[in-house]
PDB file of all heavy atoms in Angstrom:
ATOM      1  N   LEU A   1     104.996 110.006 103.375  1.00 93.00           N
ATOM      2  CA  LEU A   1     105.422 108.707 103.905  1.00 93.00           C
ATOM      3  C   LEU A   1     106.355 108.871 105.074  1.00 93.00           C
ATOM      4  O   LEU A   1     106.276 108.134 106.060  1.00 93.00           O
ATOM      5  CB  LEU A   1     106.087 107.904 102.756  1.00 93.00           C
ATOM      6  CG  LEU A   1     106.494 106.438 102.983  1.00 93.00           C
ATOM      7  CD1 LEU A   1     107.774 106.276 103.726  1.00 93.00           C
ATOM      8  CD2 LEU A   1     105.365 105.658 103.665  1.00 93.00           C
ATOM      9  N   ALA A   2     107.259 109.862 105.008  1.00 93.00           N
ATOM     10  CA  ALA A   2     108.235 110.085 106.088  1.00 93.00           C
ATOM     11  C   ALA A   2     107.491 110.460 107.381  1.00 93.00           C
ATOM     12  O   ALA A   2     107.850 109.985 108.470  1.00 93.00           O
ATOM     13  CB  ALA A   2     109.217 111.164 105.696  1.00 93.00           C
ATOM     14  N   VAL A   3     106.494 111.339 107.269  1.00 93.00           N
ATOM     15  CA  VAL A   3     105.730 111.749 108.471  1.00 93.00           C
ATOM     16  C   VAL A   3     105.026 110.545 109.090  1.00 93.00           C
ATOM     17  O   VAL A   3     105.074 110.325 110.294  1.00 93.00           O
ATOM     18  CB  VAL A   3     104.709 112.840 108.126  1.00 93.00           C
ATOM     19  CG1 VAL A   3     103.748 113.091 109.286  1.00 93.00           C
ATOM     20  CG2 VAL A   3     105.433 114.138 107.761  1.00 93.00           C
ATOM     21  N   ILE A   4     104.369 109.761 108.256  1.00 93.00           N
ATOM     22  CA  ILE A   4     103.675 108.562 108.749  1.00 93.00           C
ATOM     23  C   ILE A   4     104.664 107.578 109.359  1.00 93.00           C
ATOM     24  O   ILE A   4     104.409 107.007 110.439  1.00 93.00           O
ATOM     25  CB  ILE A   4     102.895 107.894 107.585  1.00 93.00           C
ATOM     26  CG1 ILE A   4     101.742 108.812 107.161  1.00 93.00           C
ATOM     27  CG2 ILE A   4     102.353 106.517 108.001  1.00 93.00           C
ATOM     28  CD1 ILE A   4     101.016 108.349 105.899  1.00 93.00           C
ATOM     29  N   PHE A   5     105.783 107.378 108.702  1.00 93.00           N
ATOM     30  CA  PHE A   5     106.795 106.421 109.190  1.00 93.00           C
ATOM     31  C   PHE A   5     107.346 106.848 110.543  1.00 93.00           C
ATOM     32  O   PHE A   5     107.414 106.052 111.466  1.00 93.00           O
ATOM     33  CB  PHE A   5     107.924 106.316 108.169  1.00 93.00           C
ATOM     34  CG  PHE A   5     109.089 105.495 108.650  1.00 93.00           C
ATOM     35  CD1 PHE A   5     109.068 104.117 108.553  1.00 93.00           C
ATOM     36  CD2 PHE A   5     110.211 106.119 109.187  1.00 93.00           C
ATOM     37  CE1 PHE A   5     110.119 103.363 109.017  1.00 93.00           C
ATOM     38  CE2 PHE A   5     111.292 105.359 109.648  1.00 93.00           C
ATOM     39  CZ  PHE A   5     111.247 103.976 109.559  1.00 93.00           C
ATOM     40  N   VAL A   6     107.726 108.122 110.669  1.00 92.00           N
ATOM     41  CA  VAL A   6     108.313 108.594 111.944  1.00 92.00           C
ATOM     42  C   VAL A   6     107.266 108.549 113.047  1.00 92.00           C
ATOM     43  O   VAL A   6     107.586 108.124 114.172  1.00 92.00           O
ATOM     44  CB  VAL A   6     108.873 110.023 111.767  1.00 92.00           C
ATOM     45  CG1 VAL A   6     109.331 110.577 113.115  1.00 92.00           C
ATOM     46  CG2 VAL A   6     110.043 110.010 110.786  1.00 92.00           C
ATOM     47  N   ALA A   7     106.050 108.959 112.768  1.00 90.00           N
ATOM     48  CA  ALA A   7     104.985 108.900 113.788  1.00 90.00           C
ATOM     49  C   ALA A   7     104.719 107.472 114.219  1.00 90.00           C
ATOM     50  O   ALA A   7     104.548 107.192 115.405  1.00 90.00           O
ATOM     51  CB  ALA A   7     103.715 109.535 113.252  1.00 90.00           C
ATOM     52  N   ALA A   8     104.676 106.538 113.264  1.00 89.00           N
ATOM     53  CA  ALA A   8     104.455 105.133 113.608  1.00 89.00           C
ATOM     54  C   ALA A   8     105.608 104.584 114.430  1.00 89.00           C
ATOM     55  O   ALA A   8     105.412 103.806 115.365  1.00 89.00           O
ATOM     56  CB  ALA A   8     104.267 104.332 112.322  1.00 89.00           C
ATOM     57  N   THR A   9     106.837 105.004 114.080  1.00 88.00           N
ATOM     58  CA  THR A   9     108.008 104.565 114.826  1.00 88.00           C
ATOM     59  C   THR A   9     107.940 105.054 116.272  1.00 88.00           C
ATOM     60  O   THR A   9     108.288 104.320 117.206  1.00 88.00           O
ATOM     61  CB  THR A   9     109.286 105.090 114.163  1.00 88.00           C
ATOM     62  OG1 THR A   9     109.364 104.604 112.822  1.00 88.00           O
ATOM     63  CG2 THR A   9     110.513 104.645 114.926  1.00 88.00           C
ATOM     64  N   LEU A  10     107.553 106.294 116.453  1.00 86.00           N
ATOM     65  CA  LEU A  10     107.450 106.848 117.825  1.00 86.00           C
ATOM     66  C   LEU A  10     106.365 106.143 118.640  1.00 86.00           C
ATOM     67  O   LEU A  10     106.524 105.925 119.847  1.00 86.00           O
ATOM     68  CB  LEU A  10     107.170 108.337 117.772  1.00 86.00           C
ATOM     69  CG  LEU A  10     108.310 109.218 117.268  1.00 86.00           C
ATOM     70  CD1 LEU A  10     107.922 110.689 117.285  1.00 86.00           C
ATOM     71  CD2 LEU A  10     109.575 109.003 118.104  1.00 86.00           C
ATOM     72  N   LEU A  11     105.256 105.774 117.991  1.00 82.00           N
ATOM     73  CA  LEU A  11     104.250 105.001 118.699  1.00 82.00           C
ATOM     74  C   LEU A  11     104.785 103.647 119.122  1.00 82.00           C
ATOM     75  O   LEU A  11     104.526 103.178 120.241  1.00 82.00           O
ATOM     76  CB  LEU A  11     103.010 104.819 117.788  1.00 82.00           C
ATOM     77  CG  LEU A  11     102.077 106.014 117.657  1.00 82.00           C
ATOM     78  CD1 LEU A  11     101.005 105.716 116.610  1.00 82.00           C
ATOM     79  CD2 LEU A  11     101.426 106.355 118.984  1.00 82.00           C
ATOM     80  N   GLY A  12     105.540 102.998 118.231  1.00 79.00           N
ATOM     81  CA  GLY A  12     106.168 101.734 118.607  1.00 79.00           C
ATOM     82  C   GLY A  12     107.171 101.927 119.719  1.00 79.00           C
ATOM     83  O   GLY A  12     107.269 101.076 120.634  1.00 79.00           O
ATOM     84  N   PHE A  13     107.903 103.020 119.698  1.00 77.00           N
ATOM     85  CA  PHE A  13     108.870 103.317 120.762  1.00 77.00           C
ATOM     86  C   PHE A  13     108.162 103.516 122.081  1.00 77.00           C
ATOM     87  O   PHE A  13     108.606 103.046 123.137  1.00 77.00           O
ATOM     88  CB  PHE A  13     109.691 104.541 120.377  1.00 77.00           C
ATOM     89  CG  PHE A  13     110.769 104.907 121.358  1.00 77.00           C
ATOM     90  CD1 PHE A  13     111.980 104.238 121.318  1.00 77.00           C
ATOM     91  CD2 PHE A  13     110.574 105.908 122.288  1.00 77.00           C
ATOM     92  CE1 PHE A  13     112.998 104.553 122.208  1.00 77.00           C
ATOM     93  CE2 PHE A  13     111.585 106.229 123.188  1.00 77.00           C
ATOM     94  CZ  PHE A  13     112.792 105.558 123.139  1.00 77.00           C
ATOM     95  N   ALA A  14     107.028 104.217 122.057  1.00 73.00           N
ATOM     96  CA  ALA A  14     106.249 104.476 123.280  1.00 73.00           C
ATOM     97  C   ALA A  14     105.695 103.200 123.884  1.00 73.00           C
ATOM     98  O   ALA A  14     105.494 103.104 125.104  1.00 73.00           O
ATOM     99  CB  ALA A  14     105.140 105.465 123.008  1.00 73.00           C
ATOM    100  N   SER A  15     105.414 102.209 123.045  1.00 69.00           N
ATOM    101  CA  SER A  15     104.852 100.964 123.550  1.00 69.00           C
ATOM    102  C   SER A  15     105.873 100.104 124.283  1.00 69.00           C
ATOM    103  O   SER A  15     105.506  99.196 125.031  1.00 69.00           O
ATOM    104  CB  SER A  15     104.250 100.157 122.385  1.00 69.00           C
ATOM    105  OG  SER A  15     105.282  99.619 121.559  1.00 69.00           O
ATOM    106  N   HIS A  16     107.161 100.323 123.996  1.00 69.00           N
ATOM    107  CA  HIS A  16     108.257  99.531 124.578  1.00 69.00           C
ATOM    108  C   HIS A  16     108.213  98.061 124.138  1.00 69.00           C
ATOM    109  O   HIS A  16     108.881  97.235 124.737  1.00 69.00           O
ATOM    110  CB  HIS A  16     108.247  99.594 126.112  1.00 69.00           C
ATOM    111  CG  HIS A  16     108.573 100.973 126.651  1.00 69.00           C
ATOM    112  ND1 HIS A  16     109.821 101.543 126.530  1.00 69.00           N
ATOM    113  CD2 HIS A  16     107.774 101.884 127.268  1.00 69.00           C
ATOM    114  CE1 HIS A  16     109.799 102.760 127.089  1.00 69.00           C
ATOM    115  NE2 HIS A  16     108.575 102.981 127.521  1.00 69.00           N
ATOM    116  N   SER A  17     107.398  97.762 123.140  1.00 69.00           N
ATOM    117  CA  SER A  17     107.408  96.389 122.625  1.00 69.00           C
ATOM    118  C   SER A  17     108.638  96.202 121.740  1.00 69.00           C
ATOM    119  O   SER A  17     109.111  97.154 121.142  1.00 69.00           O
ATOM    120  CB  SER A  17     106.145  96.119 121.820  1.00 69.00           C
ATOM    121  OG  SER A  17     106.106  96.937 120.673  1.00 69.00           O
ATOM    122  N   PRO A  18     109.183  94.993 121.697  1.00 69.00           N
ATOM    123  CA  PRO A  18     110.399  94.764 120.903  1.00 69.00           C
ATOM    124  C   PRO A  18     110.199  95.184 119.436  1.00 69.00           C
ATOM    125  O   PRO A  18     109.331  94.655 118.741  1.00 69.00           O
ATOM    126  CB  PRO A  18     110.607  93.252 121.021  1.00 69.00           C
ATOM    127  CG  PRO A  18     109.958  92.892 122.294  1.00 69.00           C
ATOM    128  CD  PRO A  18     108.775  93.796 122.414  1.00 69.00           C
ATOM    129  N   GLY A  19     111.003  96.135 118.987  1.00 68.00           N
ATOM    130  CA  GLY A  19     110.898  96.600 117.611  1.00 68.00           C
ATOM    131  C   GLY A  19     109.583  97.277 117.298  1.00 68.00           C
ATOM    132  O   GLY A  19     109.215  97.404 116.139  1.00 68.00           O
ATOM    133  N   GLY A  20     108.852  97.709 118.347  1.00 71.00           N
ATOM    134  CA  GLY A  20     107.537  98.293 118.125  1.00 71.00           C
ATOM    135  C   GLY A  20     106.603  97.321 117.471  1.00 71.00           C
ATOM    136  O   GLY A  20     105.654  97.727 116.768  1.00 71.00           O
ATOM    137  N   LEU A  21     106.850  96.035 117.680  1.00 72.00           N
ATOM    138  CA  LEU A  21     106.100  94.976 117.001  1.00 72.00           C
ATOM    139  C   LEU A  21     104.598  95.114 117.273  1.00 72.00           C
ATOM    140  O   LEU A  21     104.155  95.180 118.410  1.00 72.00           O
ATOM    141  CB  LEU A  21     106.579  93.594 117.495  1.00 72.00           C
ATOM    142  CG  LEU A  21     106.009  92.373 116.738  1.00 72.00           C
ATOM    143  CD1 LEU A  21     106.409  92.415 115.290  1.00 72.00           C
ATOM    144  CD2 LEU A  21     106.499  91.083 117.421  1.00 72.00           C
ATOM    145  N   GLY A  22     103.845  95.140 116.201  1.00 72.00           N
ATOM    146  CA  GLY A  22     102.398  95.260 116.289  1.00 72.00           C
ATOM    147  C   GLY A  22     101.950  96.704 116.255  1.00 72.00           C
ATOM    148  O   GLY A  22     101.041  97.078 115.497  1.00 72.00           O
ATOM    149  N   VAL A  23     102.571  97.547 117.076  1.00 80.00           N
ATOM    150  CA  VAL A  23     102.154  98.950 117.168  1.00 80.00           C
ATOM    151  C   VAL A  23     102.561  99.718 115.902  1.00 80.00           C
ATOM    152  O   VAL A  23     101.755 100.397 115.262  1.00 80.00           O
ATOM    153  CB  VAL A  23     102.756  99.627 118.416  1.00 80.00           C
ATOM    154  CG1 VAL A  23     102.361 101.079 118.497  1.00 80.00           C
ATOM    155  CG2 VAL A  23     102.338  98.866 119.657  1.00 80.00           C
ATOM    156  N   PHE A  24     103.848  99.596 115.523  1.00 85.00           N
ATOM    157  CA  PHE A  24     104.342 100.240 114.300  1.00 85.00           C
ATOM    158  C   PHE A  24     103.546  99.754 113.087  1.00 85.00           C
ATOM    159  O   PHE A  24     103.114 100.557 112.251  1.00 85.00           O
ATOM    160  CB  PHE A  24     105.819  99.939 114.140  1.00 85.00           C
ATOM    161  CG  PHE A  24     106.388 100.301 112.799  1.00 85.00           C
ATOM    162  CD1 PHE A  24     106.736 101.622 112.515  1.00 85.00           C
ATOM    163  CD2 PHE A  24     106.578  99.341 111.818  1.00 85.00           C
ATOM    164  CE1 PHE A  24     107.260 101.967 111.273  1.00 85.00           C
ATOM    165  CE2 PHE A  24     107.086  99.669 110.572  1.00 85.00           C
ATOM    166  CZ  PHE A  24     107.418 100.990 110.300  1.00 85.00           C
ATOM    167  N   ASP A  25     103.349  98.449 113.011  1.00 83.00           N
ATOM    168  CA  ASP A  25     102.661  97.864 111.852  1.00 83.00           C
ATOM    169  C   ASP A  25     101.225  98.333 111.775  1.00 83.00           C
ATOM    170  O   ASP A  25     100.704  98.635 110.681  1.00 83.00           O
ATOM    171  CB  ASP A  25     102.746  96.351 111.925  1.00 83.00           C
ATOM    172  CG  ASP A  25     104.162  95.878 112.213  1.00 83.00           C
ATOM    173  OD1 ASP A  25     104.923  95.668 111.264  1.00 83.00           O
ATOM    174  OD2 ASP A  25     104.500  95.715 113.408  1.00 83.00           O
ATOM    175  N   ALA A  26     100.528  98.369 112.945  1.00 83.00           N
ATOM    176  CA  ALA A  26      99.126  98.793 112.945  1.00 83.00           C
ATOM    177  C   ALA A  26      99.007 100.257 112.502  1.00 83.00           C
ATOM    178  O   ALA A  26      98.125 100.593 111.724  1.00 83.00           O
ATOM    179  CB  ALA A  26      98.554  98.627 114.345  1.00 83.00           C
ATOM    180  N   ALA A  27      99.925 101.102 112.977  1.00 86.00           N
ATOM    181  CA  ALA A  27      99.873 102.515 112.582  1.00 86.00           C
ATOM    182  C   ALA A  27     100.116 102.666 111.085  1.00 86.00           C
ATOM    183  O   ALA A  27      99.423 103.467 110.418  1.00 86.00           O
ATOM    184  CB  ALA A  27     100.918 103.301 113.355  1.00 86.00           C
ATOM    185  N   MET A  28     101.021 101.925 110.543  1.00 88.00           N
ATOM    186  CA  MET A  28     101.299 102.001 109.093  1.00 88.00           C
ATOM    187  C   MET A  28     100.124 101.500 108.279  1.00 88.00           C
ATOM    188  O   MET A  28      99.763 102.096 107.261  1.00 88.00           O
ATOM    189  CB  MET A  28     102.569 101.191 108.769  1.00 88.00           C
ATOM    190  CG  MET A  28     103.856 101.727 109.354  1.00 88.00           C
ATOM    191  SD  MET A  28     104.388 103.305 108.608  1.00 88.00           S
ATOM    192  CE  MET A  28     104.989 102.729 107.019  1.00 88.00           C
ATOM    193  N   LEU A  29      99.513 100.428 108.725  1.00 86.00           N
ATOM    194  CA  LEU A  29      98.367  99.881 107.988  1.00 86.00           C
ATOM    195  C   LEU A  29      97.189 100.829 108.014  1.00 86.00           C
ATOM    196  O   LEU A  29      96.442 100.957 107.042  1.00 86.00           O
ATOM    197  CB  LEU A  29      97.986  98.529 108.592  1.00 86.00           C
ATOM    198  CG  LEU A  29      98.924  97.360 108.259  1.00 86.00           C
ATOM    199  CD1 LEU A  29      98.610  96.174 109.163  1.00 86.00           C
ATOM    200  CD2 LEU A  29      98.776  96.955 106.806  1.00 86.00           C
ATOM    201  N   VAL A  30      96.984 101.511 109.142  1.00 85.00           N
ATOM    202  CA  VAL A  30      95.860 102.440 109.246  1.00 85.00           C
ATOM    203  C   VAL A  30      96.112 103.683 108.412  1.00 85.00           C
ATOM    204  O   VAL A  30      95.237 104.152 107.661  1.00 85.00           O
ATOM    205  CB  VAL A  30      95.639 102.844 110.735  1.00 85.00           C
ATOM    206  CG1 VAL A  30      94.675 104.027 110.838  1.00 85.00           C
ATOM    207  CG2 VAL A  30      95.102 101.640 111.513  1.00 85.00           C
ATOM    208  N   ALA A  31      97.332 104.225 108.499  1.00 88.00           N
ATOM    209  CA  ALA A  31      97.628 105.490 107.804  1.00 88.00           C
ATOM    210  C   ALA A  31      97.740 105.320 106.297  1.00 88.00           C
ATOM    211  O   ALA A  31      97.357 106.203 105.541  1.00 88.00           O
ATOM    212  CB  ALA A  31      98.926 106.101 108.375  1.00 88.00           C
ATOM    213  N   LEU A  32      98.269 104.172 105.858  1.00 89.00           N
ATOM    214  CA  LEU A  32      98.454 103.923 104.437  1.00 89.00           C
ATOM    215  C   LEU A  32      97.310 103.074 103.911  1.00 89.00           C
ATOM    216  O   LEU A  32      97.510 102.025 103.272  1.00 89.00           O
ATOM    217  CB  LEU A  32      99.805 103.270 104.185  1.00 89.00           C
ATOM    218  CG  LEU A  32     101.023 104.086 104.628  1.00 89.00           C
ATOM    219  CD1 LEU A  32     102.304 103.299 104.462  1.00 89.00           C
ATOM    220  CD2 LEU A  32     101.098 105.410 103.821  1.00 89.00           C
ATOM    221  N   TRP A  33      96.109 103.526 104.138  1.00 86.00           N
ATOM    222  CA  TRP A  33      94.901 102.767 103.787  1.00 86.00           C
ATOM    223  C   TRP A  33      94.725 102.617 102.292  1.00 86.00           C
ATOM    224  O   TRP A  33      94.005 101.733 101.816  1.00 86.00           O
ATOM    225  CB  TRP A  33      93.669 103.487 104.365  1.00 86.00           C
ATOM    226  CG  TRP A  33      93.618 104.921 103.948  1.00 86.00           C
ATOM    227  CD1 TRP A  33      94.117 105.973 104.641  1.00 86.00           C
ATOM    228  CD2 TRP A  33      93.065 105.446 102.753  1.00 86.00           C
ATOM    229  NE1 TRP A  33      93.921 107.161 103.960  1.00 86.00           N
ATOM    230  CE2 TRP A  33      93.274 106.856 102.780  1.00 86.00           C
ATOM    231  CE3 TRP A  33      92.412 104.896 101.653  1.00 86.00           C
ATOM    232  CZ2 TRP A  33      92.852 107.707 101.746  1.00 86.00           C
ATOM    233  CZ3 TRP A  33      91.976 105.744 100.620  1.00 86.00           C
ATOM    234  CH2 TRP A  33      92.198 107.101 100.666  1.00 86.00           C
ATOM    235  N   GLN A  34      95.366 103.488 101.489  1.00 87.00           N
ATOM    236  CA  GLN A  34      95.151 103.471 100.042  1.00 87.00           C
ATOM    237  C   GLN A  34      95.832 102.318  99.353  1.00 87.00           C
ATOM    238  O   GLN A  34      95.531 102.027  98.186  1.00 87.00           O
ATOM    239  CB  GLN A  34      95.624 104.801  99.434  1.00 87.00           C
ATOM    240  CG  GLN A  34      97.096 105.099  99.631  1.00 87.00           C
ATOM    241  CD  GLN A  34      97.370 105.927 100.873  1.00 87.00           C
ATOM    242  OE1 GLN A  34      96.993 105.530 101.958  1.00 87.00           O
ATOM    243  NE2 GLN A  34      97.995 107.073 100.701  1.00 87.00           N
ATOM    244  N   PHE A  35      96.745 101.620 100.048  1.00 88.00           N
ATOM    245  CA  PHE A  35      97.453 100.489  99.436  1.00 88.00           C
ATOM    246  C   PHE A  35      96.709  99.171  99.694  1.00 88.00           C
ATOM    247  O   PHE A  35      95.975  99.048 100.694  1.00 88.00           O
ATOM    248  CB  PHE A  35      98.871 100.373  99.991  1.00 88.00           C
ATOM    249  CG  PHE A  35      99.761 101.532  99.644  1.00 88.00           C
ATOM    250  CD1 PHE A  35     100.405 102.259 100.623  1.00 88.00           C
ATOM    251  CD2 PHE A  35      99.976 101.877  98.316  1.00 88.00           C
ATOM    252  CE1 PHE A  35     101.226 103.314 100.298  1.00 88.00           C
ATOM    253  CE2 PHE A  35     100.785 102.946  97.983  1.00 88.00           C
ATOM    254  CZ  PHE A  35     101.416 103.663  98.994  1.00 88.00           C
ATOM    255  N   GLU A  36      96.916  98.218  98.811  1.00 87.00           N
ATOM    256  CA  GLU A  36      96.430  96.858  99.050  1.00 87.00           C
ATOM    257  C   GLU A  36      97.111  96.314 100.311  1.00 87.00           C
ATOM    258  O   GLU A  36      98.349  96.415 100.472  1.00 87.00           O
ATOM    259  CB  GLU A  36      96.725  95.965  97.869  1.00 87.00           C
ATOM    260  CG  GLU A  36      95.939  96.295  96.621  1.00 87.00           C
ATOM    261  CD  GLU A  36      94.468  95.947  96.765  1.00 87.00           C
ATOM    262  OE1 GLU A  36      94.133  95.091  97.598  1.00 87.00           O
ATOM    263  OE2 GLU A  36      93.644  96.560  96.057  1.00 87.00           O
ATOM    264  N   LYS A  37      96.314  95.725 101.218  1.00 86.00           N
ATOM    265  CA  LYS A  37      96.870  95.278 102.487  1.00 86.00           C
ATOM    266  C   LYS A  37      97.983  94.252 102.319  1.00 86.00           C
ATOM    267  O   LYS A  37      99.015  94.310 103.000  1.00 86.00           O
ATOM    268  CB  LYS A  37      95.745  94.706 103.362  1.00 86.00           C
ATOM    269  CG  LYS A  37      94.715  95.723 103.831  1.00 86.00           C
ATOM    270  CD  LYS A  37      93.646  95.056 104.654  1.00 86.00           C
ATOM    271  CE  LYS A  37      92.572  96.061 105.065  1.00 86.00           C
ATOM    272  NZ  LYS A  37      91.489  95.432 105.844  1.00 86.00           N
TER     273      LYS A  37
END
């Protein structure tokens, strides 16, 4: 979870969107596919 979280955070940071909005969430949803959406 920590690896996925940090990687998703960096993607959000790279997007420069406020709070990584959309980018962070999309990465988490893709990587944590095993959970109910």
Side-chain angles (χ1 to χ4, degrees):
L1 187 280
V3 170
I4 292 172
F5 173 83
V6 174
T9 301
L10 290 181
L11 283 174
F13 184 81
S15 72
H16 294 291
S17 64
L21 187 62
V23 179
F24 169 80
D25 311 272
M28 294 291 286
L29 286 167
V30 169
L32 299 175
W33 54 268
Q34 61 268 57
F35 295 123
E36 292 289 337
K37 293 179 183 178

